[in-house]
Structure formats: structure tokens, C-alpha cells
Amino acid sequence: MERNELQSLQELKEEEKIKILDRTNNGILEKENADFLIKLIDNAENKTEVLKISALGMTYKRTGFHFDVRLEKNEGQTIRYLKKNENLSFDQGGITHKLIIGDNYPALLNLLINYKNKIKVIYIDPPYGKDHLGAFAQTNYNNAITRDNLLSMLYPRLILARQLLKDDGVIFCSIDDRNQAYVKCLFDEVFGEGNFVSTLIWRKIEENSSSGGTMKITKNFRKDHEFIICYAKNYDLFLTNKFLELPNFENEYKNLDNDPRGEFKAGSISMKGNKNSLKYYEIETPSGKKYSRVWRITKEEFQALDDDNRIYYGKNKDSVPQIKIFINEERPVTPTSFFENLGSSFSAGEYLNKIFKNDKGESIFSNPKPVDLIKRICETSTNTNQNDIILDFFAGSGTTGHAVLELNKQDGGNRQFILVTNNEITDSNPNGIALDVTSKRLKRIMSGECYDESKDFKWLEKNTPYGDSLEVSEIQSIASSDHSVFEKIDEKLYGKDFENIHDKIEWICKEFELTCRKIEGE
């Protein structure tokens, strides 16, 4: 094993050992068991072994919930890498978005090479229906004990997803009420229960829907909602997002201190929290009174506002500091956890048909999510930095990409999307979903025409193409013993451009995981 590859393996070992120690400190693992796991990790020979050993500590002791982890098996025989699809890619200038076609497990491993700690938002809509999980993750709803296959499919992918997120990043996962409790327990272990943000409720039946949309009737209740679980990588850092900073305004607009900028509202910038918070510090008022607590903004942000006379200390200059919001200013809005009037799967299907000139009412993709729903998620998570990267590794019809394009158009942002989808063949998509739906949808809404240069689809009647460029790549396999791998892997797809083959060989040996996909026990 090359020196750089050893270094990469050692970094993963140290990361997983820290997680085990955290579980021990939180009372999840006994110290003896943790010491044994750490010893095994120290002697692991590759990254897959490290993840499998670390997974032995995932027993959900606090909830009594347990599943037998079945990880992707790595026999060290195959390298999975990205190869550009020149026929599906197109360059129109602007932002270059990405679509990866293939199994999302090796796709995530490949993304880690260039995007570790760089993704701001991840949205996933995993195939949680019993008929849509595939061979590896087939869920048996008649089995009231476990959903091992669904959870095992998600577990290693969430481990990789967490590594991709920025420190202030966030992940959203759509899930139905049948699986919500189980999947939330899985997220608690991977991301930490302390990083749980909220369970959002999406009312998927529109108020003006005469058809009932995708409403499911049961013997007892009309099911017209789904859940979206939300977790931060680091909850304290996630709180710095401006949309979570809406103060509580008690007064009407008045000029309380004769500010030359005019009337303002004064809003609270203090919040609940403990002394361990990153935003716990002391503020001294002009009169000398001191307040120590957790604030909604950092000490540096407070000082900048104070220097700009944007902090109000009350009539006598000794009250708890408040932020000034002037009458002509927009103020951030804290989103509600209840999402409604954002479309339904039914309306999303109708909208998709307009892009694909489908006048027969036939569905070309089952249960797509509406663009407005995903746009709301992206908007509330990226409004402090409109150059963020959004990832969806269960991309399906490509709604997340569509939502990012629409949001950029709306606010002038420069967000980039990365989509990953397999190319599952269905009766409606004989060439596979990626080729018949995802890539064609993106091509049409971005360029105004399909790959065959046709432009006769209804979406164009009321919409203008978004522009930008799309880089499409596919997951390819090659034997690890095949030296042509150093020629076949295009480093430019990973943001590299080596001047000599020696540097490229060293890079490949360091970065590429051996990802021969096989289900344990088969």
C-alpha cells in the first residue's frame, strides 16, 4: 500500500475511533467494548473493514432498537471511477452542475475525493416503498421485527454523506410514517441525536386539489402527509444560518433613540442554551451593566452591529441588548415545520408531463416530489450563501436539480447541484430512468431543447430555459490489477490536472477506494 493511501486509511481510523469514544462518553458503549473495537480498528487493513468494525457499536442501546448491519463488501478487486458521458453533457457557460449515473455508494466514495466537507445541503428521497427498494434493500412490511435491508442500505451511505457535509451543513430525508421512527433512529446514530433539527411535515394534498392528489385512504385516517427528517452535521454551527435568527419583536416601528436612519423594531437576540455553546459570551451595556448568556449571533457579528449603531440597549442604556430592524429592511424568517401549499406528487407528475410532452396522462415517473417543496428546503438552508452546493444521491426524476435552477433564477444565486441516480429500467423507461427521465429533464429545462433538438414540449410555453452547463458522468469499473486505470481515470472530473503521470499515479493510489459491490452472504 502506498504511503498516501496509508495516510488516508489512518485518517478514517482516527475519525471512527473518535466516534467510538464519543459513544463511550455518552454511555452508549461500555468502555471495555469500546477499547476492543478501537483495537480492531487499529489493525484493520482497509477502509471497509474500518466502517464494518465501527458499525458493531451501532446497537441503539438507549432505544432498544437494533438491526444487523450488512455493509457493501469490498474484496479489493475492482476500482469504481467516473467516466464522462460526452453525449449527455453540454456546455452553455455559467455554473457547471453535475449528474452521476450509477450506484450511489461508489458515487459517494468518488465525490469524497473532491467534495469532502464542501456540501452545504443534502436532500434525499430514498426508495422506502416495499416494491421500489431493489434486491439489496427490499423491505418486507409483513415483518414486524426488523427492516434490516432498508437500514443497511442507508447506513453506509449516510456515513459517507456526513463526511461530505460542511461543518454547518444540513441533511433532509423524505420518509413515510411507516418508516419514520426507524430511519430517525438511524440518523440519531450516524449524525448524533444532539444534531437533530426537526421533523418537518409535508402536507402533500393541495387545498385546491379536486382529485385528491396522492391521498391514501385507510380504515381509520386519511393519510395526506409525509415526513422530512432534518439533521445538522454540527447543530451549534448550523444555528448561524440567518433563517434561524428571527428575533422576537414586541414593539411597533418607532425611533426609540433618535436614530437618523428612522423608525425600527427592537428584537431579542438572546436564546436558550448552555455555557458550552459557541455563542455564549458576555455583553456590557454603555451604562456598565453586564449580561452573560447564549446569543443568536456570534461575538464578532454583535461587535460589527454595535459599531454600526444597530444594537438598542433601552431608554437608560442598561437593558438586555436588542437588534434594530429598520422599517425599510427585510428581516429573516424562521420557517415553520409544517409545509403546505407546495404541491403534491400528483401536481408534480402533471408538471413533469409538460416537460416531456406527455398528453396521455400516463406517469413517466412514480411519485415525484414537487419543485416548490425542494426549493423551499434549499432556500431556507442556503440563503446566507448563494454559492452553496446541494447534493441529492437518490435523485430520481431530477427535481432537486430543477429546484436549484429555479431558486437561482429567483434570487440571482450561484448554487450548484450534484445529482446521483441509478438507471433502473421500468416499463415506462425502457432505457432506464437516468437516460429517459433525469438527463432529458435537465437538458430541456436548461437549454430549451432535448438531445434530439426537439422543442415541442408544453413547459416552454410559460417558462424560459435556465441556462448553465451539465457534466454527466457514469460509474465505471476496472480491475485493480489493470495498470490502464492510470490512463482511464480522468482527473479533470475530480478538479485535478496533473502535468506528469507520476503525480497522477500517486493521487490515484491515495484517493481511490476499492469498491467491489457485493452483498454480504450472497
Side-chain angles (χ1 to χ4, degrees), residues 44-240:
E45 296 181 353
N46 55 57
K47 293 181 180 180
T48 300
E49 286 187 1
V50 173
L51 290 176
K52 291 173 72 172
I53 294 167
S54 181
L56 294 175
M58 298 291 190
T59 55
Y60 301 95
K61 289 185 177 180
R62 285 176 292 179
T63 62
F65 176 55
H66 171 76
F67 74 96
D68 293 322
V69 178
R70 298 167 63 209
L71 292 178
E72 314 279 351
K73 190 173 182 180
N74 177 2
E75 295 184 337
Q77 298 176 350
T78 307
I79 291 176
R80 312 294 290 274
Y81 65 97
L82 300 178
K83 181 180 180 181
K84 185 175 181 179
N85 186 315
E86 299 289 353
N87 294 326
L88 297 182
S89 302
F90 54 90
D91 187 351
Q92 302 181 129
I95 304 166
T96 298
H97 305 280
K98 297 179 184 292
L99 169 63
I100 301 174
I101 300 173
D103 187 335
N104 56 16
Y105 181 71
L108 290 170
L109 286 170
N110 275 269
L111 286 173
L112 274 173
I113 295 172
N114 197 37
Y115 289 96
K116 187 174 183 180
N117 298 325
K118 292 183 179 179
I119 306 295
K120 180 59 181 289
V121 182
I122 297 177
Y123 170 79
I124 58 173
D125 184 11
Y128 43 81
K130 66 178 180 179
D131 299 323
H132 303 283
L133 291 171
F136 181 60
Q138 189 173 17
T139 295
N140 177 8
Y141 281 147
N142 294 322
N143 181 351
I145 300 175
T146 66
R147 284 175 169 81
D148 290 8
N149 294 324
L150 169 61
L151 299 172
S152 287
M153 180 270 288
L154 284 175
Y155 171 71
R157 288 158 174 80
L158 293 180
I159 290 289
L160 300 178
R162 188 181 185 279
Q163 296 180 54
L164 286 166
L165 279 177
K166 296 173 66 174
D167 289 340
D168 63 347
V170 62
I171 182 170
F172 297 84
C173 175
S174 284
I175 198 71
D176 64 350
D177 58 349
R178 204 159 194 173
N179 287 290
Q180 184 268 344
Y182 300 92
V183 172
K184 184 183 183 301
C185 285
L186 181 63
F187 270 79
D188 281 342
E189 288 298 331
V190 175
F191 287 89
E193 190 171 353
N195 291 314
F196 171 65
V197 177
S198 182
T199 297
L200 311 175
I201 299 174
W202 168 46
R203 189 172 191 270
K204 60 182 181 179
I205 305 302
E206 297 172 285
E207 292 290 348
N208 59 355
S209 173
S210 60
S211 64
T214 54
M215 179 179 64
K216 182 177 181 180
I217 303 295
T218 67
K219 294 180 179 179
N220 301 309
F221 294 97
R222 186 184 78 178
K223 293 187 177 181
D224 61 358
H225 74 279
E226 288 186 13
F227 297 104
I228 304 173
I229 301 171
C230 178
Y231 279 76
K233 185 174 182 178
N234 184 311
Y235 187 77
D236 283 340
L237 293 178
F238 175 69
L239 287 179
T240 63

Side-chain angles (χ1 to χ4, degrees), residues 29 111 181 324:
L29 286 175
L111 286 173
K324 295 181 182 180

Side-chain angles (χ1 to χ4, degrees), residues 458-481:
K458 287 186 175 181
W459 184 85
L460 282 176
E461 295 176 3
K462 296 183 178 180
N463 297 276
T464 303
Y466 297 104
D468 286 346
S469 301
L470 184 68
E471 177 186 276
V472 182
S473 55
E474 298 178 87
I475 299 292
Q476 299 290 316
S477 302
I478 189 171
S480 57
S481 58

Side-chain angles (χ1 to χ4, degrees), residues 482-505:
D482 188 340
H483 288 182
S484 67
V485 66
F486 302 112
E487 299 174 3
K488 291 187 175 180
I489 293 180
D490 182 1
E491 70 269 26
K492 293 184 179 63
L493 295 178
Y494 302 87
K496 302 289 183 180
D497 190 5
F498 297 107
E499 294 183 358
N500 62 73
I501 189 63
H502 300 292
D503 291 341
K504 183 174 180 178
I505 290 174

Side-chain angles (χ1 to χ4, degrees), residues 47 78 161 235 316 337 399 438 447:
K47 293 181 180 180
T78 307
Y235 187 77
N316 298 320
S337 62
T399 301
T438 321
S447 70

